[in-house]
Every structure is written in C-alpha cells, then in structure tokens.
C-alpha cells in the first residue's frame, strides 16, 4: 500500500495504530520487561497509572497530528507523525516511570505546538507565554529536562520574537519553579528547597549498562536515523519549492535545534530512558518530513520497514 493512501486521509486509522502500539508495548513491558527498563525503577506501576499514561500518550499523538501540518514541513494534511511518535516513544523502550514520561512528553508537544502558533502570528503573546510555562513545568516533573531552557533562545532567534514576547517567555518559564517553591514554603519548608531537590536529583546516576539494550532496539533507532539522513540528503539535492518560504525554513530549523538540544540530556547523570518519550516529539515531525520529501516508493518501503522492525522488536526480544 502506498504511503499517500494511508497518511492523507482521516486521522482515525493513525490514532488506531497508535493505540495498538501503546497497548502492545505496555503489555510487553509488564510481562517481560527489558533489563534497561528495570535498571532505573524496581517498582511496578498500577493498572490505573498505566491506563492514564496511555491516555496521555494518545493525547500527544493528537497534538502531533495537528502540529506537523502546521509546521509547513509536509504538503497538505498528513497524519504520519501520529504512529511514528508511538514507534519512537513507546516502541523502543517503555520508561519505568511511564506516567512521568507521558506527562513530560505531552508538555513538550504542547509547547512546540504553541511555538509554531506564534510563528504564524507575528505578535502572539499568549502562545509563547504558555509554551514557556509548559517547558518550565517539565523541570519539576523530570529534572534533566532543565536543558530545554535552551529552547528559549532558539525560539527567540528562530521565530524572531519581539522584546515583549521575550519578557513574557522568560517569566512564563520561571513561573512553575516559583509556584513549586511557594508550595514548599507554604508547607513549612524553605523557599528554595524545591530548587535544591531538583539539583540533587540531577546528580543521581541512572545510567543503564549498555549490555541491557536489545539489538533490535538499536536496529529501530538506526532505521529512524537512516531515514532522517536520507531525507535530509534528498532535501539538499532536490530543494522543493516549499523551502522558498522563510516560515518553512524557520520551522525546520526550530525542530532540528530542539532535537539536538534534547539529545544533550544524555550528558546529565540523572537522564534515563524517559528521554526517548521526550525526543520522540520533534523526531516524529522530522521523520514525517523526511518520508514526505522522499519519492513515494522509497518512503513507503522505509515506513513499512520501520514498522516491521518495531513489531519484530516487540515480539521477538
């Protein structure tokens, strides 16, 4: 089946596939977890927690389905980012703290969606403010996400924000930490105890041994990386007319720099496989861009090969 036939229609088939991916991976992780999924959390999660996490992952998929067409990186309506997000976020590993992973992933997806909204509206102050709040909220939930403070300068230069928008963005990012500090102080603790706790959590080493990583998980990552580079090389060799729009070029730069920035979390000792659920957000859009810019026959083969590797990884290892 050609890729265009399954990605340019209703979002329902893509959402159904995402549900299948989420349910299948959670059942697999509950019955036979990989070593790396146990290395950072010896405690199991309740069924209600997993159900709520699954709903949040599904919500991220819905946001991804709206964000990718808005980015301008695909021609017309395309729902391919929805299942691709699921393959990366849940298909490689399921984070031990599934609810935390789903929560920070949703915050990140909404923040990027709001930043793209400001790209379409030159003087939109609300979007950048709430995007910064969501980025700041990720830090108390998952301390290694503090590196995503770099999204602020990236957005400032990529989206050409005004001075008023910059001030609102900085204030919005600081608001969740200040609110958390106030809550700590109200409960009788020190005002800066929340910041100190976050700093201490950043020092904890959650690095999993390399030997715990299944080979097919590496194959899925390698396939996604090859698709990205393949699409990038093809885009340079065959520049499409859509790149004549400055808005599209800025949108692509935004996703590329955010992906690179998220990868720097690997250098933080407290970083664990929750990173995969975070980085799946920009990667889902970039993979969609790569598959859409490739010739249809090539992209169809690459897409089905990625799904095949995912299902083999799910049931074999």
């Amino acid at each position: 089946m050609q890729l265009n036939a399954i990605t340019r229609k209703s979002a329902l088939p893509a959402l159904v596939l995402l549900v299948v991916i989420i349910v299948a991976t959670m059942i697999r992780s509950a019955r036979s977890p990989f070593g790396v999924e146990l290395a950072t959390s010896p405690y199991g999660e309740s069924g209600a927690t997993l159900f709520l996490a699954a709903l949040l992952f599904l919500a991220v998929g819905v946001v991804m389905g709206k964000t990718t067409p808005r980015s301008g990186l695909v021609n017309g309506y395309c729902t391919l980012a929805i299942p691709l997000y699921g393959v990366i976020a849940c298909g490689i590993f399921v984070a031990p703290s599934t609810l935390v992973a789903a929560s920070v992933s949703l915050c990140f997806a909404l923040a990027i969606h709001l930043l793209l909204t400001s790209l379409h509206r030159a003087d939109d102050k609300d979007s950048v403010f709430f995007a910064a709040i969501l980025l700041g909220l990720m830090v108390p939930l998952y301390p290694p996400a503090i590196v995503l403070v770099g999204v602020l300068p990236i957005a400032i230069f990529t989206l050409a924000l005004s001075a008023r928008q910059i001030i609102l963005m900085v204030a919005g990012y600081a608001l969740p930490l200040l609110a958390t500090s106030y809550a700590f102080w109200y409960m009788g603790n020190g005002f800066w105890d929340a910041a100190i706790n976050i700093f201490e959590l950043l020092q904890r080493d959650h690095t999993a041994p390399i030997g715990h990583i299944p080979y097919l998980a590496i194959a899925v990552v390698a396939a996604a990386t090859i698709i990205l580079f393949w699409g990038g090389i093809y885009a340079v060799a065959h520049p499409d007319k859509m790149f004549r729009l400055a808005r599209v070029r800025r949108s692509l730069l935004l996703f590329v720099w955010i992906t690179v920035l998220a990868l720097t979390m690997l250098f933080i000792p407290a970083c664990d496989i929750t990173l995969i659920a975070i980085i799946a957000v920009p990667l889902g859009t970039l993979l969609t861009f790569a598959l859409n810019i490739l010739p249809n026959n090539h992209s169809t083969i690459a897409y089905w090969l990625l799904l095949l590797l995912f299902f083999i990884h799910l049931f074999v290892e």
Side-chain angles (χ1 to χ4, degrees):
M1 183 181 293
Q2 293 292 305
L3 197 63
N4 285 340
I6 59 176
T7 62
R8 299 191 182 280
K9 295 183 179 180
S10 169
L12 183 59
L15 289 172
V16 171
L17 180 56
L18 178 60
V19 170
V20 171
I21 291 171
I22 293 170
V23 173
T25 51
M26 286 191 174
I27 291 175
R28 192 274 307 156
S29 66
R31 292 186 174 181
S32 56
F34 298 130
V36 70
E37 294 173 341
L38 295 174
T40 55
S41 178
Y43 307 105
E45 293 187 282
S46 66
T49 302
L50 291 175
F51 178 74
L52 181 57
L55 290 180
L56 292 179
F57 278 126
L58 184 60
V60 179
V62 174
V63 175
M64 293 285 294
K66 295 183 177 181
T67 299
T68 303
R70 176 169 294 199
S71 67
L73 298 179
V74 295
N75 293 317
Y77 182 71
C78 181
T79 61
L80 191 59
I82 297 174
L84 286 176
Y85 164 78
V87 168
I88 302 299
C90 305
I92 301 174
F93 295 117
V94 176
S97 301
T98 314
L99 187 58
V100 172
S103 300
V104 294
S105 186
L106 180 58
C107 289
F108 200 31
L110 288 171
I112 293 176
H113 182 77
L114 289 170
L115 289 176
L116 287 175
T117 300
S118 68
L119 178 62
H120 291 268
R121 303 173 187 170
D123 196 29
D124 187 359
K125 297 180 286 295
D126 293 341
S127 295
V128 294
F129 178 68
F130 287 111
I133 288 178
L134 289 165
L135 290 171
L137 184 61
M138 293 174 67
V139 179
L141 294 173
Y142 184 63
I146 196 170
V147 302
L148 295 179
V149 67
V151 173
L152 272 64
I154 290 173
I156 289 170
F157 291 106
T158 305
L159 305 180
L161 300 181
S162 64
R164 181 176 297 179
Q165 287 174 311
I166 293 172
I167 294 172
L168 286 171
M169 198 173 209
V170 173
Y173 186 84
L175 191 58
L177 179 59
L178 292 175
T180 305
S181 298
Y182 175 78
F184 269 65
W185 172 80
Y186 185 80
M187 291 185 293
N189 302 304
F191 184 79
W192 297 111
D193 281 359
I196 293 171
N197 288 343
I198 291 173
F199 179 77
E200 290 176 348
L201 288 172
L202 287 172
Q203 307 305 310
R204 295 183 181 178
D205 189 0
H206 290 301
T207 305
I210 297 297
H212 286 179
I213 300 179
Y215 291 115
L216 282 175
I218 299 175
V220 174
V221 174
T225 305
I226 290 171
I227 292 172
L228 286 174
F229 278 101
W230 187 7
I233 293 171
Y234 193 88
V236 173
H238 304 84
D240 192 90
K241 62 182 181 180
M242 72 178 186
F243 289 107
R244 297 174 187 173
L245 297 174
R247 185 177 64 193
V248 175
R249 294 196 299 270
R250 286 190 290 170
S251 180
L252 180 59
L253 281 175
L254 179 67
F255 277 97
V256 170
W257 281 116
I258 284 178
T259 303
V260 173
L261 181 65
L263 283 172
T264 61
M265 275 190 268
L266 290 169
F267 298 101
I268 296 180
C271 180
D272 58 18
I273 57 176
T274 302
L275 168 65
I276 298 176
I278 297 174
I279 205 169
V281 175
L283 272 184
T285 297
L286 289 176
L287 282 170
T288 304
F289 161 74
L291 289 173
N292 271 267
I293 207 167
L294 289 171
N296 196 40
N297 290 336
H298 297 180
S299 59
T300 301
I301 294 172
Y303 174 71
W304 287 114
L305 179 60
L306 184 62
L307 281 184
L308 178 63
L309 284 173
F310 157 69
F311 282 109
I312 294 176
H313 168 57
L314 184 65
F315 293 110
V316 173
E317 289 188 299

